[in-house]
Each structure stands twice: as C-alpha cells, then as structure tokens.
Amino acid sequence: MKRLNQLPTFRIQYGKELSVNFGQKRCRGLEGDTIASALYANDVRIFGRSLKYHRPRGLYSLDGECSNTMMAVDGIPNVRAENTPAVDGMNIKAQNVFGKTPDFDMMRFMDELSWAMPAGFYYQTLHKPSRIWPLAIKHIRKAAGLGILSPDFHMRGKFDESYISTDVCVIGGGPAGMCAALSAADQGLRVVLLENRPWLGGYFEYRPREYQKGVPLYQRARELAESVGHTPNIRTFKNTAMIGSYHNNLITAFQRGNKSDIFTERYLEIRAGSVVVATGCIERPLLFENNERPGVMQIGCAHRLARNWGLLPGKRAAFSVGHDLGLEAAIDLADLGLDIACVADIRQDSYDSNLAAELEKRNIPFLPGWVAIRAHGSKTVNAVTLSSINATRRRKLSCDTVVASAGMTPVTGPVILPGGKLTYDNHTGFFLPATIPPQMHVAGRLLGLDDPFAIETSGLLAGLKAAADCGKPVENNLKEMAKNQATLPGPTRGTKLVTGPVKGKETFICFDEDCTLKNINQAMHRGFDVPELIKRFTSAGTGPGQGGIPGHNLPMYVAETGESPDRNPKPTTVRPPLVPVYLATYAGSNHDMSKRTPMHDSQVKAGGKMERIGVWNRARRFSSDTSARKEIENVRNNVGLLDGSTLGKFRIFGSDALKALQRVYVSDMSKVAEGKVKYSAMCNEDGCLMDDGIVVKIDENDYYMTASTGRAGQTIEWIRYHTRYDGWNFHMVNLTDAYGVINMAGPNARKVLEKVTDADVSNEAFPFAGYREFLIQNMPVRAMRLGFVGELSYELHVLSSYMQSIWDLLEITGKEFGIQKFGLEAQNILRMEKGHVIIGSESEQRTTIHDLGLGFLWYRNKPEAKTVGAFALKDTEHQKGRLKLVGFKMKESGTRVPKDGSPLVDSRIRGYVCTARYSWALKEPIGMALVDDDLCGEGTTLNIYEDGCKGKLLSAKVVSMPFYDPDGKQMRC
Amino acid sequence: MAFTITCPVCGIRRGYEFRFGGEDKGPMPPEESLASETWCEYVHMNNCIAGIQKEWWFHRDGCGSWFTIYRDTTTNQQVENR
C-alpha cells in the first residue's frame, strides 16, 4: 500500500525502514510505525479472530481499546498492536485463529452457530446432568481465553519501578492537560504529566483545522508540547498509561520504554498534592449489524491513520457519525485523496454548518438524520446499508471502509476509582462526575468542551486550582481565569443514540466478549435488567478492553429500553488496572536484593556454595560433598572457622535498659555480670519462642546483645513495642552490619588464638561463658566462649572492616593446627549432635520454651517486670497435649536418614521430623522431632512416614539429648 | 496502597513504610491475680471497630518509633481525632 506524501503531522520517518514478520508474511514498515500501522500498510486487514464466534476483526480505535488488535508478539500474548511500536524483526501472530492465517479460520462456522449460544449459555446448559460438566469444562477451556502463553516462555526485558512525589499530577497530555501542567508549573510547582501516546497533543495533534488564523491545531499542539518540554519543573512521561487512581492522590501508571530507555516497562507510583484529570474523550461506538467487521473503524482511527502514518484507510469510505469531528475528518480525508461515498450524521441539526458547506463544496453527499444499520462483506466490508433514523428510507452503498461513531464518551476512570460518582448529563449525553474526590480537578474535552480555546482555558483553570491545593496564593488568577472561561463556548450538545433501527443479532456491543445487542435483550428478558447484572450475565465489558467499547453504550441502551427498574442506569464499575499491564511490570525490578557479609568475596573464592537465607547470602559448604563430612570432622578433630556475621547485634543502653531487657527476656537479666555472657530467650505473649541470643554487660546501663539471623530486622521493633506504654529511657543501636562474627571452634581453637593475641586466653583466665575484650594485632575484638557446635570455641565479634584481616590472620596462623573453613551445613549437624535448636527448624509459632526443654531459662519471680510471655509460660508449664522436642535414632542400624519434615504416624499424625542427618561422630543417623507429649518418653518407637514411601514406614526410637558429649566437657575444656 | 500515615517524627509518609501494631488496648494488666480468660481477652481479642479506632503503628522504614493514630477503618484513612 502506498503511503501519502509527507505531511507535517507524520510520526513516521521516510527512509528509515524496518520489517516485521506477520506469520509467514514479511511486512515492511517505517520507523515510527506501530505494529498495527505497519501491518495495515502491508494490506493486513484481519488482525485476529473474535473470542466466541471467530469473527474476523481489524483496526477499530487505534488506541487499543478492544481486543481486536491484540496479537502475540515474540511469544508474548495479548500485546496491543495499536499501542506498541514496531521493532525490526518482530514476530507477530494473530490470535484465536485455527488455521494458518486469520483470513481463513477453521472455527468460523461458530459464527453460524451463534443462535445456539444465547447469553448465559454455559451457565444454563452444561451443568445438567452434572457429570457432563467436567467434560464441558475441558472443551470450554480449550476454546475460551485469548492468547496462548507457552509454559516454557521466558519473559525478557528489564522491568523497573519508580516512586514519584510531586505537587501536581496531570493525567492526559492533550491541550487541556498541557495547559494545566503549564499553569501549575508557572506557580513554581513540580508537575508530572502523563500521556498514553508516544507524543503530546491529544485531539489537537493530528487535525489541520484552524486554531487561529494561519495556525492549524496540530501546530498549536506542537507549540504547547514545546513549552512543556522547555519547562524544567514539568516532568513528562509519554508512552505512559494510567492504570490506577486511589485516595490521598495516589496515581499508578506504567511506562513503555523506548530504545534509549534502560527499561522495557516501568511501573510508576505517583503521590501528588493535587491531581488534574484531563483524560479527554474516546469515541462512543455506533452499533449496527456487523459493526466490527474489518473496514469499520472510528473517526480518530481513520483520521490518524492518514495524518500520523500516511495510510488512507481504504479506497472508498462511507461515514456514519454523530460528532463534528466526523465531518472534519471526512473533509480532510477527501482532500488527502480518499473517495467519500457519503457522510451520514445522526444529528438532524446542531452540526457545524460551515463543515456541511465544506462537504457540499467537495460534492460529498451529506445525510443528516441518517445512520448505518448494516455492514456487508464476509471478511472485510464491501458495502454498507444506511437508514434514516425513523427507518423509512434505506440505501446501500458500496465501499471498503465505514467510518462509524455515535459520539463521544468521557474517560472518567481516574475520577471514579477514588470514589467520584457519575451522573447522566442530558446536555452532553455524558456520564459526568457529579462528585470529585478532594484535591482532584477535571478539565478539557472530558467536560464536553469542543472549542479549542475553551479546552485550553479549562486546563489553565484546573492547573490554578491544583496550585491552590498546594497552597499557592492564586485567588485572583483563579477569578480572572474563571471569568475568561465564562466568555468561551461551554459544553456542546452531544448525541444520545446508541443504535439505528437494527435487529441486533450481529450488532456487537462488546467486541472482546462477542456480546451482541440480542444478548443484552436476552439478559433483560431473563430479568437481569440493570447494567451491573447484565454485565455479569452476558460478560459484556469484562474483556481486556476494560469496558472501553461497551462502557457507556450499555447503560444508555438499557435506559433507552425503558424496561430497567433503575431509572438512571449508570456505567458499570471500573477497576484498576484500567489498561492491560504485564504482570512483569507489576513485579518490577528483577534485581535480587540481598545482603553480603564482610567475608562474602573470599568465601566465594574459597569455593563456598552460597545460598540465600532470608536476606543474606551464606556459604552452605566448601566442597561438592553435600554431607560436609570433612568440614564436620575437622571441627571435631582440629579447628574450624565459620562466618557468623549474619547474627543480629545490638547495643542497648540508658538508665532503663535493664528494665527493657527484663521485659523481653525470660531470664533474670539483673544477673548479667561483667565478663560473663548470659544466654536467654525471648517469647511472645503466648510463651512461644521468638528469639534466643546472648547478652553481655559492657558497662553500667550499657549492654551488647545478639539476636538470631532471621530476627535481626525485628528486634528493635519488638523491644520498643513491648515497652511502648512505659516511656522508659533507653536507646538501641543496630550493630548487625557494623560487626562481623567469626566462630572459631575445635579442640585446637585456643592454640590458634594464643598465637595471635597477647591476652591470656587460657581456660582459667577466659573460661566457658566468659566475655573478654582484647586486641588482635591492634584490632579490637569482643570475644565470647560459647558452645553452639559443642567444641571449645571462641566467637569473635570484630568491626566489619577488620573482618577479612583477622580471618586471614587466623587462617594463616592456624594452618599448622589444621584450620579449615566450615559452612552452614556443617554447623547444622554439629549443633544437632549437641541438641541445640535453631528457631524455625525445631520450633514453630506454637512451640513454647517448655516444649523445647528450655524452661530452665525462665525466671518466674519477676512479675513486676511484666515479662512478655511470662503469664502464658506459667499457664502452659504442665499443659497436656503439646508437641515436645525429642531426639531420636533409627531402630535398626543401617537405616537411611529420614527426610526433614516427614510426619510421624500411628493411626494418625503424631508429630514430625524437624531435622535429621547422618552423624559422623556417632556413625549413625540422628534427628530431632516434635512429637505428641505421650510419645516423648525415652525408648518410645516413632514411625516415620516419608513422601512416596508406599506404606513402608521407617522406625526410630526416642533417645536422650545431647547425642554428642552429653556432659559438655569438650566445650568447657 | 494509597494509605498514608502521619508519623509524629517524619511527617506524612506512605503506608508501606509502617508496620501495624494492633488496636490500642492499653498496657498489659498486672500478672498477679490475672485470670486466663482476662489474659486471653487482652492478648488475642480485638474490638474490630467499623469506624474510627485508635491504633499503634511502627515506622519501620523510617525513624523507628511506635505511635498511635486514629484511623477510619471503613475508608482506610487516617483521621485527626475522635
């Protein structure tokens, strides 16, 4: 298809060619083409097939308001071809087509069967008898739905998110939106301007009609866009569709990236002091038989195809319109070379007589009071039948294009979503917002304005109102602007007609769901007689176009029937997202944000198998041996080094610090002495274990404490929560990232430490459960003797910046003593051999410290402290029917290790395995389990049911813990 | 998502920055002579007011303070006061 000669309104660039593949067909396009315009330029008329009846579908609105032009692009289904720029090499497929090309669809017989599928067909037919329903589901599922997503599909691209605070957010970059942005920016406010199309300008942008003498509208649009571009405090987002609007002036949108952008799509959340809605209007579809046949399109579609992309919609067009924009388009398209068969206008008068005269000048037949009632042609349009509105006269004209539009419809979504209410306005024929949420203003064509100056002035006015919301003293400007507005033409009278005299069998009110006027009549006949019910029964307006096509026609049609009990039918509720959005865009950044310890790089270098645990990356083990045997045995026999930097670390100080500790820890924290570590636990109100850790007294009213890795983020919040009524004087500092932790454990640990410090670290000078501060080569260290893994061990808390140095020093010094790194897996088995619990592994939300055998930590004689959980600990101390922690071994030697999480059963479930591993120290599998309290006696048999065991249970017996070194000699020596 | 909270330290911030701390039920009653039922009532039961309620919030991604606000649970908007 030949494109028009260069026009000033073009958005394509001659000379810059590209090509896309449409099925087998190679389509040539130009830079600036959308997928839709590129295909149209290559004579593609049928873009896909409809959902139910497999009717051919083509371009209609050119703004992606229906599923007609949703296509599969590079494996992504339901891409809106009208809004997506064509990229060289794209692979495009038509959807819902059974056959090679959308021109021939093997399911097209469905259209002939439409009589057999009235509205609500599936609800009514396929459930009797009930056994056919599962079969029916299978076949309906196959036929239903639009687009196919391959299970192997991998979504490419970068998805970003941006959270923007601004003074004024303007939705819609047409003339009113731009004026609003400019007038608000003029007051020194920060403005965000959102526009769905790739350029600003709205209804001005492509029209050659005169704005002022010698200035066409498109030129005016460019002037405005230029001033917006030059205003530094206006941030313009083009290619950006608003998808949600919420109270407190929160606007959500998503932006499609250009070639030069770093993102494919970006989710935006904009919080504004004030919002201006200048979303304008879309065209209200005219309903007639075959009103969605390819070749039937709206005014804007036909006009913009020619003006923006140089494509005449066809050779010979008939117009059936209800707005002056239609007459204007007919004149302009005639001048560009389109043969216009006639222009029928719903309105008998109230059209612009100058435009009628222009039509006459060009010998275009003008038929006021006429309307299209049927499009002919099996695949694309080849003729149209027009009728006078009173149905007394008809005429059939041959044509390949029908430009049809009943009038305009305001885009009110942004006002409705946060709670604005619509009422029907008799003058404009619009459903207009009667109540508008606070700090929100509307402007432009949305109000029914048509005069360019009135539109611009309403924008300026809304911008000033927004400025007033933001506290700018603009009362006088406001008064003046309102006076200006009053002198300009107000809203124009709009059409109310939905459809001419038609039967309605092939008159589609909703394209996405293949819903006809006949279906609406059927629904009403069955008693679904208000729009919300009709919508649900017929599914009109539930498709991906989000009601863009049926939105206002449905209530107007229902009102016209006079059969609805609702005297004032309203449009059905719209909900976010207002336009289809990728889930990937909502998901946002796919950059995994995790924390690294100061040792991260060197651990990776040493072959550490890193694993994500909570927010942290940690080394699971340092070899490919999943049992970590070497690491374990080296800790038991020589000495090992573990990076424990993920431990939560806090300073808590102030005159009431001890009171706070007494509140959250179950033990008597007044016993915390200098030079000693105190191990204790935190419970919730139910006495269930939340956290455990140690507390060290650094100085008077100054404590250092640790929390388990997973709890580090909540510890401060927890302590402050439980002291929130007390007004105590204490402060907390989260030192988790400031300090790293090295756990050096094994019989040779002291020998290593002695070599690197001058401090006396003998068992007498630094005994078990002791706390010392000393220097390792001038680097300060907080050292504790703890026994989590059951060997002589030193936990060294070191400033993060010194971590690597001290670690390296220990490794070099310890070489002669067989020092080795060990990872989490080794630690997990080592601590299990000692019967030490890890919160979350051996405890759950309902596990009290009594259940874990940690009841000895609880000090019951401090009621004045109001310790969190103390009351429940008292209440549950001897409670029956709780799950208790026990250790177990396998009954028969040589039995394999049961899987973590396997349930324990007799005639019912009696508990589950928490952790079970092969113990190299004991040379047999050991494990810990939470079991019903009557099973916790030593020697009791536990039957373990594993996934897929086919009834063959593993047999274990309860044994006492710890498994290894029950007297704790190793860690105390 | 649109919910905002006015933190006494940081001012109006988006609701996501905060963590909900439940209805304001006053301090824990003293442990001595506390009946299990009373304890359970205090710890686990809520009034679930449909309307304006006083409640605790924690500014997790901010200053880290606990404070109370009044919120209309029917509109999910912070309100000045009863």
Side-chain angles (χ1 to χ4, degrees), chain A residues 655-677:
Chain A
S655 53
D656 295 322
L658 181 59
K659 282 189 194 161
L661 293 175
Q662 289 282 43
R663 171 66 52 80
V664 293
Y665 281 107
V666 295
S667 311
D668 183 5
M669 303 316 283
S670 64
K671 297 273 166 58
V672 178
E674 269 169 84
K676 295 278 285 176
V677 296

Side-chain angles (χ1 to χ4, degrees), chain A residues 481-494:
Chain A
M481 196 60 73
K483 223 188 279 169
N484 275 354
Q485 180 89 70
T487 64
L488 293 163
T492 49
R493 188 167 165 72

Side-chain angles (χ1 to χ4, degrees), chain A residues 233-250:
Chain A
N233 46 339
I234 301 179
R235 197 173 165 194
T236 307
F237 292 88
K238 295 170 200 167
N239 281 312
T240 302
M242 197 224 66
I243 48 177
S245 159
Y246 305 85
H247 61 60
N248 292 346
N249 289 337
L250 183 76

Side-chain angles (χ1 to χ4, degrees), chain A residues 522-543:
Chain A
Q522 283 164 340
M524 291 189 73
H525 181 67
R526 287 183 163 272
F528 299 100
D529 48 10
V530 292
E532 289 285 0
L533 293 176
I534 295 169
K535 171 182 171 181
R536 276 151 188 85
F537 190 68
T538 62
S539 71
T542 61

Side-chain angles (χ1 to χ4, degrees), chain A residues 163 246-248 250 252 267 269 271 685-686 714 716-718 720-721 724-725 862-863 866-867 870-872 874-875, chain B residues 1-4 14 19 21 24-28 31-32 34-36 39 43-44 56 58 60 64 66 75-77:
Chain A
Y163 298 85
Y246 305 85
H247 61 60
N248 292 346
L250 183 76
T252 59
Y267 172 74
E269 227 177 89
R271 183 81 67 170
E685 279 96 342
D686 297 327
Q714 289 111 284
I716 287 184
E717 178 182 333
W718 181 263
R720 289 219 174 110
Y721 179 77
R724 68 195 185 284
Y725 288 107
K862 49 166 188 169
K866 283 194 185 174
T867 303
F871 185 84
K874 199 157 41 179
D875 241 25
Chain B
M1 182 167 63
F3 183 42
T4 54
R14 36 193 289 118
R19 183 191 164 106
D24 182 43
K25 296 191 264 188
M28 177 88 173
E31 262 174 52
E32 300 104 326
L34 184 63
S36 290
W39 168 83
V43 171
H44 293 297
W56 285 95
F58 176 67
R60 176 165 40 184
W66 281 101
T75 59
N76 198 33
Q77 301 241 45

Side-chain angles (χ1 to χ4, degrees), chain A residues 629 632-633 636 829-830 832-834 889 897 916-927 963-964:
Chain A
R629 178 181 182 177
I632 294 165
E633 289 182 340
R636 290 274 181 253
I829 296 171
L830 289 162
M832 201 177 60
E833 289 174 340
K834 283 296 291 174
K889 289 181 179 173
V897 187
R917 292 285 188 279
Y918 187 82
S919 162
W920 301 101
L922 281 77
K923 304 277 184 292
E924 64 176 318
I926 55 166
F963 303 95
Y964 171 81

